[in-house]
Amino acid sequence: MNAPNPDTLKQVKDFSRPIITFAIARADRADVAYLGGSDFKVYRADLAAPKFEPKELYAHESYVTGVALAGATLVSGGYDGRLTWFDIAAGKIVRTHDAHAKWVRKVVASPDGKLIASVADDMLCKVWDAKTGQLVHTLKGHKEKTPHDFASMLYAVTFSRDSALLATGDKVGHVVVWDAKTGAQLGSCEAPVMYTWDKVQRLHSIGGVRSLAFSPDGRSLAVGGMGKVGNIDHLEGKARVEVFNWKAGKQTAEFPGDKFVGLVNRLAWAPDGSWLLGAGGAGEGFLCFFDMGTKKVLRQEKLPMHVHDFALSAAGDQITSAGHNRITVHRLGA
């Protein structure tokens, strides 16, 4: 099946919210979205309702930075280090784990719905059984300190489409690919341009790998972040995406950004692998489509908010984006 043409992109919905939405999960072809944000709460939102009124389901003790759907189970994670399992049908929490010693940055479900992966600033990726909540793997492949002896951060995690592979990415641009079943390390890539160290003004660093996505065939791995920054107190670096042959650890494509600044917080491939979509921002937000055949930018669309996450439908024809004070829905195709 051919993916829809990005030239047909059209915004069809725009909802305002009084908070920052850090994470979104949607069941394919459903008008229901699950949201986590800066008010510490997890919500269910009906995107087709006449009035947009997300319903609170439960709360964490800090920012909710990850939500993932595994069948009828919703799993969320936050800066409180906890993971919470919520039974959607029963409408209740079924378990909570003190999963990580530091902030949870991302929570994802494997496409087959069997596994949950979480990453946090304790520099661990933990893989969980989605049904039972049992810990399956603790993956250690990232250093706790940056080369300048400051605490590092583990921002990104993703599964391959067949659920066989898992990738993790950290602040200094180090990416590791794992066997999701055995927990064995299979390869690594480096994206050092996405890490900026200011040794003069602030003794501080910024950037890092903020998003990852395997191509549909699992052979390529897209890495998103931001280019070098002059003033590290601002997200002024150009939005940046690199694509790797992860088995060889070799970069095969580079999109250094020519229009928008800020972090690429989310990446997803078209169903047929013909294009790659990235979203993120700084003060403003963006959607950027990259042609994987010509290795050129296909389309760049400004959004009214810094995008933290989006959900792409299986057919590649609907994008639900979430971020600062807004949620938007775009469609592609006729």
PDB file of all heavy atoms in Angstrom, residues 308-328:
ATOM      1  N   HIS A 308       5.455  17.898  21.526  1.00  0.00           N
ATOM      2  CA  HIS A 308       6.206  16.935  22.328  1.00  0.00           C
ATOM      3  C   HIS A 308       6.005  15.503  21.855  1.00  0.00           C
ATOM      4  O   HIS A 308       6.873  14.649  22.053  1.00  0.00           O
ATOM      5  CB  HIS A 308       5.816  17.052  23.798  1.00  0.00           C
ATOM      6  CG  HIS A 308       6.434  18.214  24.495  1.00  0.00           C
ATOM      7  ND1 HIS A 308       7.715  18.208  24.996  1.00  0.00           N
ATOM      8  CD2 HIS A 308       5.959  19.456  24.754  1.00  0.00           C
ATOM      9  CE1 HIS A 308       8.009  19.375  25.544  1.00  0.00           C
ATOM     10  NE2 HIS A 308       6.959  20.152  25.412  1.00  0.00           N
ATOM     11  N   ASP A 309       4.852  15.228  21.252  1.00  0.00           N
ATOM     12  CA  ASP A 309       4.556  13.864  20.842  1.00  0.00           C
ATOM     13  C   ASP A 309       3.474  13.894  19.766  1.00  0.00           C
ATOM     14  O   ASP A 309       2.731  14.870  19.652  1.00  0.00           O
ATOM     15  CB  ASP A 309       4.071  13.055  22.052  1.00  0.00           C
ATOM     16  CG  ASP A 309       4.128  11.543  21.846  1.00  0.00           C
ATOM     17  OD1 ASP A 309       4.678  11.099  20.818  1.00  0.00           O
ATOM     18  OD2 ASP A 309       3.629  10.816  22.722  1.00  0.00           O
ATOM     19  N   PHE A 310       3.398  12.832  18.971  1.00  0.00           N
ATOM     20  CA  PHE A 310       2.270  12.678  18.056  1.00  0.00           C
ATOM     21  C   PHE A 310       1.965  11.205  17.871  1.00  0.00           C
ATOM     22  O   PHE A 310       2.788  10.330  18.172  1.00  0.00           O
ATOM     23  CB  PHE A 310       2.519  13.377  16.707  1.00  0.00           C
ATOM     24  CG  PHE A 310       3.587  12.767  15.838  1.00  0.00           C
ATOM     25  CD1 PHE A 310       3.374  11.571  15.146  1.00  0.00           C
ATOM     26  CD2 PHE A 310       4.820  13.394  15.670  1.00  0.00           C
ATOM     27  CE1 PHE A 310       4.360  11.022  14.328  1.00  0.00           C
ATOM     28  CE2 PHE A 310       5.807  12.846  14.858  1.00  0.00           C
ATOM     29  CZ  PHE A 310       5.569  11.660  14.185  1.00  0.00           C
ATOM     30  N   ALA A 311       0.762  10.932  17.387  1.00  0.00           N
ATOM     31  CA  ALA A 311       0.349   9.573  17.042  1.00  0.00           C
ATOM     32  C   ALA A 311       0.042   9.548  15.556  1.00  0.00           C
ATOM     33  O   ALA A 311      -0.746  10.360  15.069  1.00  0.00           O
ATOM     34  CB  ALA A 311      -0.886   9.174  17.844  1.00  0.00           C
ATOM     35  N   LEU A 312       0.692   8.635  14.816  1.00  0.00           N
ATOM     36  CA  LEU A 312       0.465   8.470  13.385  1.00  0.00           C
ATOM     37  C   LEU A 312      -0.341   7.199  13.160  1.00  0.00           C
ATOM     38  O   LEU A 312       0.006   6.134  13.682  1.00  0.00           O
ATOM     39  CB  LEU A 312       1.799   8.390  12.636  1.00  0.00           C
ATOM     40  CG  LEU A 312       1.732   8.173  11.117  1.00  0.00           C
ATOM     41  CD1 LEU A 312       1.143   9.392  10.421  1.00  0.00           C
ATOM     42  CD2 LEU A 312       3.114   7.854  10.554  1.00  0.00           C
ATOM     43  N   SER A 313      -1.423   7.293  12.385  1.00  0.00           N
ATOM     44  CA  SER A 313      -2.245   6.123  12.114  1.00  0.00           C
ATOM     45  C   SER A 313      -1.478   5.097  11.300  1.00  0.00           C
ATOM     46  O   SER A 313      -0.493   5.410  10.632  1.00  0.00           O
ATOM     47  CB  SER A 313      -3.515   6.534  11.358  1.00  0.00           C
ATOM     48  OG  SER A 313      -3.180   7.094  10.097  1.00  0.00           O
ATOM     49  N   ALA A 314      -1.930   3.850  11.344  1.00  0.00           N
ATOM     50  CA  ALA A 314      -1.238   2.755  10.649  1.00  0.00           C
ATOM     51  C   ALA A 314      -1.176   2.996   9.152  1.00  0.00           C
ATOM     52  O   ALA A 314      -0.206   2.601   8.492  1.00  0.00           O
ATOM     53  CB  ALA A 314      -1.934   1.431  10.947  1.00  0.00           C
ATOM     54  N   ALA A 315      -2.180   3.654   8.599  1.00  0.00           N
ATOM     55  CA  ALA A 315      -2.199   3.947   7.166  1.00  0.00           C
ATOM     56  C   ALA A 315      -1.389   5.192   6.820  1.00  0.00           C
ATOM     57  O   ALA A 315      -1.200   5.516   5.634  1.00  0.00           O
ATOM     58  CB  ALA A 315      -3.635   4.122   6.684  1.00  0.00           C
ATOM     59  N   GLY A 316      -0.911   5.897   7.830  1.00  0.00           N
ATOM     60  CA  GLY A 316      -0.128   7.109   7.594  1.00  0.00           C
ATOM     61  C   GLY A 316      -0.951   8.294   7.148  1.00  0.00           C
ATOM     62  O   GLY A 316      -0.403   9.267   6.625  1.00  0.00           O
ATOM     63  N   ASP A 317      -2.267   8.249   7.378  1.00  0.00           N
ATOM     64  CA  ASP A 317      -3.131   9.313   6.862  1.00  0.00           C
ATOM     65  C   ASP A 317      -3.698  10.221   7.937  1.00  0.00           C
ATOM     66  O   ASP A 317      -4.488  11.111   7.636  1.00  0.00           O
ATOM     67  CB  ASP A 317      -4.270   8.710   6.036  1.00  0.00           C
ATOM     68  CG  ASP A 317      -5.147   7.758   6.850  1.00  0.00           C
ATOM     69  OD1 ASP A 317      -4.808   7.473   8.005  1.00  0.00           O
ATOM     70  OD2 ASP A 317      -6.165   7.306   6.301  1.00  0.00           O
ATOM     71  N   GLN A 318      -3.303  10.032   9.193  1.00  0.00           N
ATOM     72  CA  GLN A 318      -3.784  10.908  10.259  1.00  0.00           C
ATOM     73  C   GLN A 318      -2.702  11.103  11.309  1.00  0.00           C
ATOM     74  O   GLN A 318      -2.073  10.145  11.752  1.00  0.00           O
ATOM     75  CB  GLN A 318      -5.040  10.335  10.902  1.00  0.00           C
ATOM     76  CG  GLN A 318      -5.692  11.264  11.906  1.00  0.00           C
ATOM     77  CD  GLN A 318      -7.126  10.877  12.192  1.00  0.00           C
ATOM     78  OE1 GLN A 318      -8.060  11.275  11.510  1.00  0.00           O
ATOM     79  NE2 GLN A 318      -7.315  10.069  13.215  1.00  0.00           N
ATOM     80  N   ILE A 319      -2.479  12.366  11.693  1.00  0.00           N
ATOM     81  CA  ILE A 319      -1.452  12.735  12.666  1.00  0.00           C
ATOM     82  C   ILE A 319      -2.119  13.526  13.784  1.00  0.00           C
ATOM     83  O   ILE A 319      -2.735  14.567  13.528  1.00  0.00           O
ATOM     84  CB  ILE A 319      -0.349  13.606  12.030  1.00  0.00           C
ATOM     85  CG1 ILE A 319       0.240  12.935  10.793  1.00  0.00           C
ATOM     86  CG2 ILE A 319       0.728  13.930  13.044  1.00  0.00           C
ATOM     87  CD1 ILE A 319       0.903  13.916   9.845  1.00  0.00           C
ATOM     88  N   THR A 320      -2.008  13.033  15.003  1.00  0.00           N
ATOM     89  CA  THR A 320      -2.528  13.757  16.154  1.00  0.00           C
ATOM     90  C   THR A 320      -1.343  14.228  16.976  1.00  0.00           C
ATOM     91  O   THR A 320      -0.596  13.420  17.529  1.00  0.00           O
ATOM     92  CB  THR A 320      -3.444  12.861  17.007  1.00  0.00           C
ATOM     93  OG1 THR A 320      -4.421  12.251  16.164  1.00  0.00           O
ATOM     94  CG2 THR A 320      -4.146  13.682  18.076  1.00  0.00           C
ATOM     95  N   SER A 321      -1.152  15.546  17.030  1.00  0.00           N
ATOM     96  CA  SER A 321       0.025  16.135  17.670  1.00  0.00           C
ATOM     97  C   SER A 321      -0.355  16.789  18.990  1.00  0.00           C
ATOM     98  O   SER A 321      -1.414  17.402  19.116  1.00  0.00           O
ATOM     99  CB  SER A 321       0.656  17.192  16.755  1.00  0.00           C
ATOM    100  OG  SER A 321       0.953  16.657  15.484  1.00  0.00           O
ATOM    101  N   ALA A 322       0.535  16.664  19.977  1.00  0.00           N
ATOM    102  CA  ALA A 322       0.279  17.212  21.308  1.00  0.00           C
ATOM    103  C   ALA A 322       1.492  17.992  21.785  1.00  0.00           C
ATOM    104  O   ALA A 322       2.632  17.610  21.525  1.00  0.00           O
ATOM    105  CB  ALA A 322      -0.048  16.090  22.287  1.00  0.00           C
ATOM    106  N   GLY A 323       1.228  19.086  22.507  1.00  0.00           N
ATOM    107  CA  GLY A 323       2.333  19.892  23.006  1.00  0.00           C
ATOM    108  C   GLY A 323       1.879  20.994  23.926  1.00  0.00           C
ATOM    109  O   GLY A 323       0.961  20.825  24.732  1.00  0.00           O
ATOM    110  N   HIS A 324       2.508  22.166  23.778  1.00  0.00           N
ATOM    111  CA  HIS A 324       2.231  23.296  24.652  1.00  0.00           C
ATOM    112  C   HIS A 324       0.847  23.867  24.381  1.00  0.00           C
ATOM    113  O   HIS A 324       0.616  24.522  23.355  1.00  0.00           O
ATOM    114  CB  HIS A 324       3.281  24.384  24.453  1.00  0.00           C
ATOM    115  CG  HIS A 324       4.593  24.084  25.103  1.00  0.00           C
ATOM    116  ND1 HIS A 324       5.208  24.932  25.996  1.00  0.00           N
ATOM    117  CD2 HIS A 324       5.405  23.007  25.009  1.00  0.00           C
ATOM    118  CE1 HIS A 324       6.349  24.400  26.411  1.00  0.00           C
ATOM    119  NE2 HIS A 324       6.479  23.230  25.828  1.00  0.00           N
ATOM    120  N   ASN A 325      -0.084  23.616  25.293  1.00  0.00           N
ATOM    121  CA  ASN A 325      -1.407  24.239  25.295  1.00  0.00           C
ATOM    122  C   ASN A 325      -2.312  23.892  24.122  1.00  0.00           C
ATOM    123  O   ASN A 325      -3.392  24.472  23.989  1.00  0.00           O
ATOM    124  CB  ASN A 325      -1.287  25.785  25.374  1.00  0.00           C
ATOM    125  CG  ASN A 325      -0.405  26.232  26.529  1.00  0.00           C
ATOM    126  OD1 ASN A 325       0.650  26.819  26.326  1.00  0.00           O
ATOM    127  ND2 ASN A 325      -0.813  25.913  27.743  1.00  0.00           N
ATOM    128  N   ARG A 326      -1.904  22.921  23.266  1.00  0.00           N
ATOM    129  CA  ARG A 326      -2.749  22.606  22.118  1.00  0.00           C
ATOM    130  C   ARG A 326      -2.596  21.141  21.712  1.00  0.00           C
ATOM    131  O   ARG A 326      -1.575  20.508  21.962  1.00  0.00           O
ATOM    132  CB  ARG A 326      -2.406  23.470  20.904  1.00  0.00           C
ATOM    133  CG  ARG A 326      -2.454  24.957  21.159  1.00  0.00           C
ATOM    134  CD  ARG A 326      -2.332  25.741  19.863  1.00  0.00           C
ATOM    135  NE  ARG A 326      -3.623  25.912  19.238  1.00  0.00           N
ATOM    136  CZ  ARG A 326      -4.475  26.900  19.574  1.00  0.00           C
ATOM    137  NH1 ARG A 326      -4.145  27.733  20.530  1.00  0.00           N
ATOM    138  NH2 ARG A 326      -5.629  27.002  18.966  1.00  0.00           N
ATOM    139  N   ILE A 327      -3.637  20.664  21.039  1.00  0.00           N
ATOM    140  CA  ILE A 327      -3.619  19.370  20.353  1.00  0.00           C
ATOM    141  C   ILE A 327      -4.202  19.596  18.974  1.00  0.00           C
ATOM    142  O   ILE A 327      -5.270  20.221  18.829  1.00  0.00           O
ATOM    143  CB  ILE A 327      -4.431  18.317  21.127  1.00  0.00           C
ATOM    144  CG1 ILE A 327      -3.734  17.984  22.447  1.00  0.00           C
ATOM    145  CG2 ILE A 327      -4.610  17.044  20.294  1.00  0.00           C
ATOM    146  CD1 ILE A 327      -4.546  17.103  23.351  1.00  0.00           C
ATOM    147  N   THR A 328      -3.520  19.125  17.941  1.00  0.00           N
ATOM    148  CA  THR A 328      -4.003  19.298  16.577  1.00  0.00           C
ATOM    149  C   THR A 328      -4.139  17.939  15.896  1.00  0.00           C
ATOM    150  O   THR A 328      -3.437  16.990  16.236  1.00  0.00           O
ATOM    151  CB  THR A 328      -3.064  20.185  15.739  1.00  0.00           C
ATOM    152  OG1 THR A 328      -1.773  19.551  15.659  1.00  0.00           O
ATOM    153  CG2 THR A 328      -2.921  21.576  16.337  1.00  0.00           C
TER     154      THR A 328
END
